[in-house]
Amino acid sequence: MDEVFKALADPSRRRLLDDLNARNGQTLRELCAGLEMARQSVSKHLAVLEAANLVTTVWRGREKLHYVNAEPINAIAERWIDRYHQGRVGALAGLKQALEQEPMSTNEFVYTSYIKTTPERLWRALTDPVFTKQYWGCEFTSDWKPGSTMAWEQHGVKQEDAEQVVLESAPYRRLSYTWHTFTPEFAKSVGLDDDVSAKVQAESRSKVTFDLQPVGDTVKLTVVHDGFDGGSTVLEMVQGGWPSILSSLKTLLETGEPLPEPA
């Protein structure tokens, strides 16, 4: 965590985070345009933020896009904020909220975590229903071949659909699939009201991609969930729920126990 506090100590780096929080997924050129700094200086600040995992990057063709990553702030919150009175750590709590709130101008969720595990164990945690049930509360059934369908079972409701499929599957490196179908039965099982249920059922189907990259004795996991409609209700749900799910995945692989389910 030393790298996180060092990175946040500089006002220029905090400004970069503010700019990305206002409009996530910017190129270096776009970030430079909003700051009175040379391109080289912005690049150096971004390198420090990336080293602290406060910023993650995704390539789109020839463009390198930068995203705020809330994972380090989640780790700080889990270590201290839940243990002490909120008033004593208001600054960290405010930063956590700022980094996790829905960015104003992006239709995707991007999150990077470094997990002390192997690509093989992480792959199993993403595809084995015994694992996914522990940290996600959801079981997947599939042969994990591109084009194969996936069955989701959660809260006693099984969801199957011809468009609920595996898109890419390169074991231990990359996995991508379409997001599940929002059926009335699912909405009822998770307590969605009729208005929210109607909205999510009317939206286009999104997709999620997991990239696994070995880094020393850890694996860098980058999650990109995209394909949302503008003003997506599903994206709001993902922004609110996925940081907790991915933190629980990390904790499960590193300690053998998932995080307690939020109240």
Side-chain angles (χ1 to χ4, degrees):
M1 293 185 182
D2 290 345
E3 294 86 354
V4 175
F5 289 109
K6 177 183 176 182
L8 293 174
D10 187 281
S12 294
R13 291 194 280 271
R14 295 197 298 272
R15 172 71 184 279
L16 278 168
L17 289 175
D18 286 339
D19 284 355
L20 286 173
N21 191 57
R23 186 167 68 84
N24 229 351
Q26 295 189 58
T27 63
L28 175 60
R29 176 180 53 79
E30 291 171 325
L31 288 167
C32 290
L35 297 171
E36 296 180 357
M37 282 191 291
R39 183 185 180 93
Q40 185 177 11
S41 297
V42 175
S43 294
K44 289 182 178 179
H45 284 308
L46 285 171
V48 173
L49 291 170
E50 285 190 63
N53 202 25
L54 286 161
V55 165
T56 190
T57 59
V58 174
W59 284 93
R60 289 282 189 272
R62 299 174 64 181
E63 289 190 325
K64 184 179 183 181
L65 305 183
H66 300 78
Y67 295 84
V68 171
N69 187 40
E71 195 271 344
I73 306 304
N74 281 332
I76 292 171
E78 289 160 13
R79 182 169 178 174
W80 288 309
I81 290 180
D82 292 336
R83 188 175 300 176
Y84 299 113
H85 191 274
Q86 288 282 350
R88 297 174 62 184
V89 285
L92 282 177
L95 180 58
K96 180 177 187 291
Q97 180 181 10
L99 292 180
E100 287 188 345
Q101 70 185 12
E102 180 185 349
M104 290 186 292
S105 302
T106 186
N107 280 329
E108 57 192 341
F109 169 85
V110 180
Y111 193 98
T112 294
S113 181
Y114 288 82
I115 305 174
K116 191 172 183 179
T117 189
T118 64
E120 292 79 10
R121 287 190 72 231
L122 180 51
W123 179 268
R124 184 183 174 195
L126 294 171
T127 58
D128 188 331
V130 174
F131 269 87
T132 59
K133 187 175 182 179
Q134 292 183 69
Y135 67 89
W136 202 326
C138 182
E139 298 178 63
F140 305 143
T141 304
S142 178
D143 62 12
W144 301 109
K145 296 178 180 178
S148 294
T149 58
M150 294 174 60
W152 294 54
E153 188 166 353
Q154 186 175 12
H155 302 295
V157 175
K158 192 169 186 178
Q159 303 162 81
E160 297 179 276
D161 191 287
E163 296 183 5
Q164 195 171 284
V165 298
V166 178
L167 299 173
E168 298 180 64
S169 183
Y172 322 131
R173 294 188 293 111
R174 183 177 175 89
L175 178 66
S176 180
Y177 50 79
T178 55
W179 199 228
H180 69 75
T181 307
F182 289 93
T183 63
E185 294 77 16
F186 171 81
K188 183 178 180 180
S189 72
V190 297
L192 296 181
D193 62 38
D194 292 342
D195 182 54
V196 174
S197 178
K199 288 180 180 179
V200 298
Q201 289 181 59
E203 290 189 20
S204 303
R205 190 183 298 272
S206 59
K207 67 180 176 69
V208 61
T209 301
F210 302 89
D211 275 307
L212 290 64
Q213 178 185 347
V215 180
D217 62 352
T218 69
V219 179
K220 179 183 179 183
L221 174 65
T222 300
V223 181
V224 179
H225 197 146
D226 57 11
F228 299 100
D229 296 335
S232 169
T233 299
V234 177
L235 175 57
E236 291 181 13
M237 296 164 65
V238 168
Q239 293 279 0
W242 272 69
S244 176
I245 291 170
L246 295 171
S247 293
S248 191
L249 166 63
K250 174 181 171 69
T251 302
L252 173 63
L253 288 171
E254 293 183 344
T255 71
E257 295 289 337
L259 292 175
E261 188 171 337

